[in-house]
Amino acid sequence: MTNEKNHILEIRNLSKVFDVNTEKEKDVLKDVSLTVDRNEFLCMLGPSGCGKTTLLRCIAGFESYEGSVLVNGAERTKPGTDRIMVFQDFNQLFPWKTVEKNIQYPLKLQGIRDKDELKQRTQEVLAKVKLSGHEKYYPYQLSGGMKQRVAIAKALALKPEIILMDEPFAALDAMTRNELQDELLRISMEEQCTFLFITHNIQETIVLGTRIIVLAEGGRIVVDEKNTVARPVTPASEGYGETWERLHSALYQ
Ligand SMILES: Nc1ncnc2c1ncn2[C@@H]1O[C@H](COP(=O)(O)OP(=O)(O)OP(=O)(O)O)[C@@H](O)[C@H]1O
Ligand SMILES: [Mg+2]
């Protein structure tokens, strides 16, 4: 059983309306409540437009909303390095900066000026994503998969409590996607970090998630379950087929 101390993130009655008082007014999230435990890897599935990205952006502090978002019991309304977002887009790195400068830029904004510390943190996180030796590369010299590795390294360098990932592997080919799933799984088991991970890929949720939720319109949570399929997960794993079927029918109901 969990207790309150284990809760890293608490979303209380969160509602989001876009374009208030205009003809485009839209209720995107309606009274969403969700509690996430420390070190949980929470995967989120849901049909296009149900508000997954909006929910993550609210948690990240990029949107205004009604209700509250608490990290370690304290309300958060603005972006902070305790919650870092990783996107689908390969272009989330500055194209004019090298890999190391991309990683170090937010660290410098954090006030870290010591060259040795910056170098050490960069090397540490690049090793974690298996990109040691690529410090001086520019983004255009990297594959899509490598760019996503750098984006993950950049997030890890900030030592966030929560990493918010919005379909980070959606634009990758199937083989690279599998590789990055394996890497992220390893990283998530090594790091003291909580992950919220959006995907449209059911397989991905079963491979990565310790918990899986399915959202419907308005951000309504229609499935919320612990992932009981033993790691490492393959389609032949016990319980895989049943879990896949259950999530699939919730998603397409
Ligand atoms: N900045 C915005 N202004 C107005 N409406 C918005 C804005 N951002 C999102 N929306 C609307 O909110 C709804 C939910 O969008 P959101 O991007 O959160 O969906 P999603 O679940 O992430 O979808 P997808 O799976 O396609 O990424 C959509 O109807 C979208 O049009
Ligand atoms: Mg989205």
Side-chain angles (χ1 to χ4, degrees), residues 58-98:
C58 289
I59 297 168
F62 297 156
E63 300 281 355
S64 60
Y65 49 82
E66 301 246 313
S68 41
V69 172
L70 294 94
V71 178
N72 287 321
E75 188 145 4
R76 296 281 188 277
T77 51
K78 295 200 170 78
T81 50
D82 55 345
R83 290 147 291 141
I84 296 296
M85 201 142 164
V86 176
F87 303 91
Q88 172 181 343
D89 194 349
F90 290 163
N91 299 316
Q92 56 192 302
L93 305 172
F94 295 122
W96 60 89
K97 285 188 193 287
T98 59

Short mmCIF file of all heavy atoms in Angstrom, two decimals, residues 58-98:
data_model
loop_
_atom_site.label_atom_id
_atom_site.label_comp_id
_atom_site.label_asym_id
_atom_site.label_seq_id
_atom_site.Cartn_x
_atom_site.Cartn_y
_atom_site.Cartn_z
N CYS A 58 0.21 21.35 -18.20
CA CYS A 58 -0.25 21.95 -16.93
C CYS A 58 0.68 21.55 -15.79
O CYS A 58 1.07 22.37 -14.96
CB CYS A 58 -1.68 21.49 -16.61
SG CYS A 58 -2.94 22.20 -17.68
N ILE A 59 1.06 20.25 -15.78
CA ILE A 59 1.96 19.77 -14.72
C ILE A 59 3.31 20.48 -14.82
O ILE A 59 3.92 20.86 -13.82
CB ILE A 59 2.15 18.23 -14.82
CG1 ILE A 59 0.81 17.52 -14.59
CG2 ILE A 59 3.19 17.74 -13.81
CD1 ILE A 59 0.82 16.04 -14.94
N ALA A 60 3.76 20.70 -16.08
CA ALA A 60 5.06 21.36 -16.29
C ALA A 60 5.01 22.84 -15.93
O ALA A 60 6.05 23.48 -15.80
CB ALA A 60 5.48 21.19 -17.75
N GLY A 61 3.81 23.39 -15.79
CA GLY A 61 3.68 24.80 -15.45
C GLY A 61 3.62 25.70 -16.67
O GLY A 61 3.79 26.92 -16.56
N PHE A 62 3.39 25.11 -17.84
CA PHE A 62 3.33 25.90 -19.08
C PHE A 62 1.94 26.46 -19.36
O PHE A 62 1.77 27.26 -20.28
CB PHE A 62 3.74 25.05 -20.30
CG PHE A 62 5.16 24.53 -20.27
CD1 PHE A 62 5.51 23.40 -20.98
CD2 PHE A 62 6.14 25.19 -19.54
CE1 PHE A 62 6.82 22.92 -20.95
CE2 PHE A 62 7.45 24.72 -19.51
CZ PHE A 62 7.79 23.58 -20.22
N GLU A 63 0.94 25.98 -18.64
CA GLU A 63 -0.45 26.43 -18.87
C GLU A 63 -1.06 26.88 -17.55
O GLU A 63 -0.70 26.37 -16.49
CB GLU A 63 -1.31 25.26 -19.40
CG GLU A 63 -0.86 24.65 -20.69
CD GLU A 63 -1.25 25.46 -21.92
OE1 GLU A 63 -1.96 26.48 -21.78
OE2 GLU A 63 -0.82 25.07 -23.01
N SER A 64 -2.02 27.77 -17.65
CA SER A 64 -2.82 28.10 -16.47
C SER A 64 -3.98 27.10 -16.40
O SER A 64 -4.33 26.49 -17.41
CB SER A 64 -3.37 29.52 -16.59
OG SER A 64 -4.17 29.59 -17.74
N TYR A 65 -4.54 26.92 -15.22
CA TYR A 65 -5.62 25.93 -15.07
C TYR A 65 -6.35 26.19 -13.76
O TYR A 65 -5.87 26.95 -12.92
CB TYR A 65 -5.05 24.50 -15.07
CG TYR A 65 -3.87 24.34 -14.13
CD1 TYR A 65 -4.07 24.13 -12.77
CD2 TYR A 65 -2.57 24.44 -14.61
CE1 TYR A 65 -2.99 24.03 -11.91
CE2 TYR A 65 -1.48 24.33 -13.75
CZ TYR A 65 -1.70 24.13 -12.40
OH TYR A 65 -0.64 24.04 -11.54
N GLU A 66 -7.47 25.52 -13.60
CA GLU A 66 -8.16 25.50 -12.31
C GLU A 66 -7.74 24.23 -11.59
O GLU A 66 -7.49 23.22 -12.24
CB GLU A 66 -9.67 25.43 -12.53
CG GLU A 66 -10.23 26.55 -13.33
CD GLU A 66 -11.16 27.41 -12.50
OE1 GLU A 66 -12.01 26.85 -11.81
OE2 GLU A 66 -10.98 28.64 -12.55
N GLY A 67 -7.71 24.26 -10.28
CA GLY A 67 -7.30 23.08 -9.53
C GLY A 67 -5.86 23.22 -9.09
O GLY A 67 -5.29 24.32 -9.15
N SER A 68 -5.25 22.14 -8.65
CA SER A 68 -3.87 22.28 -8.22
C SER A 68 -2.98 21.11 -8.60
O SER A 68 -3.43 19.98 -8.77
CB SER A 68 -3.79 22.56 -6.72
OG SER A 68 -4.71 21.77 -6.03
N VAL A 69 -1.69 21.46 -8.74
CA VAL A 69 -0.63 20.48 -8.99
C VAL A 69 0.36 20.61 -7.84
O VAL A 69 0.89 21.69 -7.59
CB VAL A 69 0.09 20.79 -10.33
CG1 VAL A 69 1.32 19.90 -10.50
CG2 VAL A 69 -0.86 20.60 -11.51
N LEU A 70 0.56 19.51 -7.12
CA LEU A 70 1.48 19.54 -5.99
C LEU A 70 2.64 18.58 -6.23
O LEU A 70 2.43 17.45 -6.66
CB LEU A 70 0.77 19.13 -4.69
CG LEU A 70 -0.31 20.08 -4.18
CD1 LEU A 70 -1.67 19.65 -4.69
CD2 LEU A 70 -0.32 20.09 -2.67
N VAL A 71 3.85 19.07 -5.98
CA VAL A 71 5.03 18.21 -6.03
C VAL A 71 5.57 18.14 -4.62
O VAL A 71 5.82 19.17 -3.99
CB VAL A 71 6.10 18.76 -7.01
CG1 VAL A 71 7.33 17.86 -7.00
CG2 VAL A 71 5.54 18.85 -8.42
N ASN A 72 5.72 16.93 -4.11
CA ASN A 72 6.13 16.75 -2.71
C ASN A 72 5.25 17.57 -1.77
O ASN A 72 5.75 18.17 -0.81
CB ASN A 72 7.59 17.13 -2.52
CG ASN A 72 8.52 16.11 -3.12
OD1 ASN A 72 8.26 14.90 -3.03
ND2 ASN A 72 9.57 16.56 -3.77
N GLY A 73 3.99 17.65 -2.08
CA GLY A 73 3.03 18.33 -1.20
C GLY A 73 2.97 19.83 -1.36
O GLY A 73 2.14 20.49 -0.73
N ALA A 74 3.85 20.42 -2.20
CA ALA A 74 3.86 21.88 -2.35
C ALA A 74 3.31 22.25 -3.72
O ALA A 74 3.67 21.64 -4.73
CB ALA A 74 5.27 22.42 -2.19
N GLU A 75 2.45 23.27 -3.74
CA GLU A 75 1.80 23.65 -4.98
C GLU A 75 2.80 24.22 -5.99
O GLU A 75 3.70 24.98 -5.62
CB GLU A 75 0.69 24.66 -4.69
CG GLU A 75 -0.15 24.95 -5.89
CD GLU A 75 -1.62 25.21 -5.54
OE1 GLU A 75 -1.97 25.23 -4.35
OE2 GLU A 75 -2.39 25.39 -6.49
N ARG A 76 2.65 23.84 -7.24
CA ARG A 76 3.51 24.33 -8.31
C ARG A 76 2.63 24.96 -9.39
O ARG A 76 1.74 24.29 -9.91
CB ARG A 76 4.30 23.19 -8.97
CG ARG A 76 5.27 22.50 -8.06
CD ARG A 76 6.56 23.32 -7.93
NE ARG A 76 7.58 22.59 -7.21
CZ ARG A 76 7.66 22.53 -5.88
NH1 ARG A 76 6.80 23.17 -5.13
NH2 ARG A 76 8.62 21.82 -5.30
N THR A 77 2.92 26.20 -9.74
CA THR A 77 2.13 26.83 -10.79
C THR A 77 3.01 27.30 -11.94
O THR A 77 2.52 27.68 -13.00
CB THR A 77 1.35 28.05 -10.24
OG1 THR A 77 2.28 28.88 -9.55
CG2 THR A 77 0.24 27.63 -9.30
N LYS A 78 4.32 27.29 -11.73
CA LYS A 78 5.24 27.76 -12.76
C LYS A 78 6.23 26.66 -13.13
O LYS A 78 6.42 25.72 -12.35
CB LYS A 78 6.04 28.96 -12.23
CG LYS A 78 5.19 30.17 -11.93
CD LYS A 78 6.06 31.41 -11.88
CE LYS A 78 5.23 32.67 -11.82
NZ LYS A 78 4.66 32.94 -10.51
N PRO A 79 6.88 26.76 -14.31
CA PRO A 79 7.89 25.75 -14.65
C PRO A 79 9.02 25.75 -13.63
O PRO A 79 9.33 26.78 -13.03
CB PRO A 79 8.41 26.23 -16.02
CG PRO A 79 7.36 27.12 -16.56
CD PRO A 79 6.70 27.76 -15.38
N GLY A 80 9.62 24.60 -13.44
CA GLY A 80 10.76 24.49 -12.52
C GLY A 80 11.58 23.28 -12.89
O GLY A 80 11.09 22.38 -13.58
N THR A 81 12.82 23.25 -12.42
CA THR A 81 13.70 22.14 -12.82
C THR A 81 13.38 20.85 -12.07
O THR A 81 14.03 19.84 -12.28
CB THR A 81 15.18 22.50 -12.60
OG1 THR A 81 15.32 22.99 -11.27
CG2 THR A 81 15.65 23.51 -13.60
N ASP A 82 12.37 20.89 -11.21
CA ASP A 82 11.92 19.63 -10.60
C ASP A 82 11.06 18.84 -11.59
O ASP A 82 10.87 17.63 -11.43
CB ASP A 82 11.14 19.89 -9.29
CG ASP A 82 9.99 20.86 -9.47
OD1 ASP A 82 9.93 21.56 -10.51
OD2 ASP A 82 9.13 20.91 -8.58
N ARG A 83 10.52 19.52 -12.63
CA ARG A 83 9.69 18.86 -13.65
C ARG A 83 10.21 19.24 -15.03
O ARG A 83 10.09 20.40 -15.42
CB ARG A 83 8.23 19.33 -13.55
CG ARG A 83 7.47 18.88 -12.35
CD ARG A 83 6.47 19.93 -11.94
NE ARG A 83 7.14 21.12 -11.42
CZ ARG A 83 6.76 22.37 -11.66
NH1 ARG A 83 5.71 22.63 -12.38
NH2 ARG A 83 7.46 23.38 -11.15
N ILE A 84 10.80 18.29 -15.73
CA ILE A 84 11.37 18.61 -17.04
C ILE A 84 10.63 17.84 -18.13
O ILE A 84 10.34 16.66 -17.97
CB ILE A 84 12.88 18.24 -17.07
CG1 ILE A 84 13.64 19.10 -16.06
CG2 ILE A 84 13.46 18.41 -18.46
CD1 ILE A 84 13.64 20.59 -16.35
N MET A 85 10.35 18.55 -19.22
CA MET A 85 9.57 17.93 -20.29
C MET A 85 10.47 17.53 -21.46
O MET A 85 11.38 18.27 -21.84
CB MET A 85 8.51 18.94 -20.74
CG MET A 85 7.35 18.32 -21.45
SD MET A 85 5.78 19.12 -21.02
CE MET A 85 4.76 18.49 -22.33
N VAL A 86 10.22 16.36 -22.01
CA VAL A 86 10.91 15.88 -23.22
C VAL A 86 9.84 15.65 -24.28
O VAL A 86 8.84 15.00 -24.02
CB VAL A 86 11.68 14.56 -22.95
CG1 VAL A 86 12.31 14.02 -24.23
CG2 VAL A 86 12.74 14.75 -21.87
N PHE A 87 10.08 16.20 -25.47
CA PHE A 87 9.04 16.19 -26.50
C PHE A 87 9.33 15.17 -27.61
O PHE A 87 10.41 14.59 -27.68
CB PHE A 87 8.95 17.59 -27.14
CG PHE A 87 8.68 18.68 -26.15
CD1 PHE A 87 9.72 19.36 -25.53
CD2 PHE A 87 7.38 19.02 -25.81
CE1 PHE A 87 9.48 20.37 -24.61
CE2 PHE A 87 7.13 20.03 -24.90
CZ PHE A 87 8.18 20.71 -24.29
N GLN A 88 8.37 15.04 -28.49
CA GLN A 88 8.49 14.16 -29.65
C GLN A 88 9.45 14.74 -30.70
O GLN A 88 10.16 14.02 -31.38
CB GLN A 88 7.09 14.00 -30.26
CG GLN A 88 7.06 13.28 -31.58
CD GLN A 88 5.62 13.19 -32.12
OE1 GLN A 88 4.66 13.37 -31.39
NE2 GLN A 88 5.49 12.88 -33.38
N ASP A 89 9.43 16.07 -30.77
CA ASP A 89 10.12 16.79 -31.85
C ASP A 89 11.64 16.58 -31.80
O ASP A 89 12.26 16.79 -30.77
CB ASP A 89 9.79 18.28 -31.66
CG ASP A 89 10.15 19.09 -32.87
OD1 ASP A 89 10.83 18.55 -33.76
OD2 ASP A 89 9.76 20.27 -32.91
N PHE A 90 12.22 16.21 -32.96
CA PHE A 90 13.67 16.07 -33.03
C PHE A 90 14.37 17.42 -32.89
O PHE A 90 15.56 17.48 -32.70
CB PHE A 90 14.09 15.46 -34.38
CG PHE A 90 13.72 14.02 -34.54
CD1 PHE A 90 13.70 13.43 -35.80
CD2 PHE A 90 13.43 13.22 -33.44
CE1 PHE A 90 13.38 12.09 -35.96
CE2 PHE A 90 13.11 11.88 -33.59
CZ PHE A 90 13.07 11.32 -34.85
N ASN A 91 13.59 18.50 -33.05
CA ASN A 91 14.20 19.83 -33.03
C ASN A 91 14.09 20.52 -31.69
O ASN A 91 13.92 21.72 -31.61
CB ASN A 91 13.59 20.70 -34.14
CG ASN A 91 13.82 20.09 -35.49
OD1 ASN A 91 14.92 19.62 -35.78
ND2 ASN A 91 12.79 20.03 -36.31
N GLN A 92 14.17 19.75 -30.60
CA GLN A 92 14.10 20.38 -29.29
C GLN A 92 15.49 20.79 -28.79
O GLN A 92 15.62 21.30 -27.67
CB GLN A 92 13.38 19.50 -28.28
CG GLN A 92 13.96 18.12 -28.09
CD GLN A 92 13.03 17.23 -27.30
OE1 GLN A 92 12.66 17.53 -26.19
NE2 GLN A 92 12.63 16.12 -27.90
N LEU A 93 16.51 20.57 -29.62
CA LEU A 93 17.86 21.02 -29.27
C LEU A 93 18.17 22.29 -30.05
O LEU A 93 17.63 22.50 -31.13
CB LEU A 93 18.89 19.94 -29.65
CG LEU A 93 18.65 18.54 -29.06
CD1 LEU A 93 19.62 17.54 -29.67
CD2 LEU A 93 18.78 18.56 -27.54
N PHE A 94 19.04 23.14 -29.50
CA PHE A 94 19.46 24.32 -30.25
C PHE A 94 20.39 23.86 -31.37
O PHE A 94 21.44 23.27 -31.10
CB PHE A 94 20.20 25.31 -29.35
CG PHE A 94 19.36 25.89 -28.26
CD1 PHE A 94 19.72 25.75 -26.94
CD2 PHE A 94 18.20 26.61 -28.56
CE1 PHE A 94 18.94 26.29 -25.92
CE2 PHE A 94 17.42 27.15 -27.55
CZ PHE A 94 17.79 27.00 -26.23
N PRO A 95 20.03 24.14 -32.64
CA PRO A 95 20.85 23.63 -33.76
C PRO A 95 22.24 24.25 -33.82
O PRO A 95 23.16 23.66 -34.37
CB PRO A 95 20.02 23.98 -35.00
CG PRO A 95 19.04 25.01 -34.57
CD PRO A 95 18.84 24.85 -33.10
N TRP A 96 22.40 25.43 -33.23
CA TRP A 96 23.70 26.12 -33.33
C TRP A 96 24.62 25.78 -32.15
O TRP A 96 25.72 26.28 -32.06
CB TRP A 96 23.48 27.64 -33.40
CG TRP A 96 22.78 28.20 -32.19
CD1 TRP A 96 23.37 28.64 -31.04
CD2 TRP A 96 21.38 28.38 -32.01
NE1 TRP A 96 22.42 29.08 -30.15
CE2 TRP A 96 21.19 28.93 -30.72
CE3 TRP A 96 20.25 28.12 -32.82
CZ2 TRP A 96 19.91 29.22 -30.22
CZ3 TRP A 96 18.99 28.40 -32.30
CH2 TRP A 96 18.83 28.95 -31.02
N LYS A 97 24.13 24.94 -31.26
CA LYS A 97 24.97 24.55 -30.11
C LYS A 97 25.37 23.09 -30.23
O LYS A 97 24.58 22.27 -30.70
CB LYS A 97 24.19 24.72 -28.79
CG LYS A 97 24.03 26.17 -28.34
CD LYS A 97 23.42 26.18 -26.94
CE LYS A 97 22.92 27.54 -26.52
NZ LYS A 97 24.00 28.48 -26.21
N THR A 98 26.56 22.76 -29.76
CA THR A 98 26.99 21.36 -29.75
C THR A 98 26.18 20.60 -28.69
O THR A 98 25.48 21.21 -27.88
CB THR A 98 28.48 21.25 -29.37
OG1 THR A 98 28.65 21.85 -28.08
CG2 THR A 98 29.38 21.92 -30.40
#
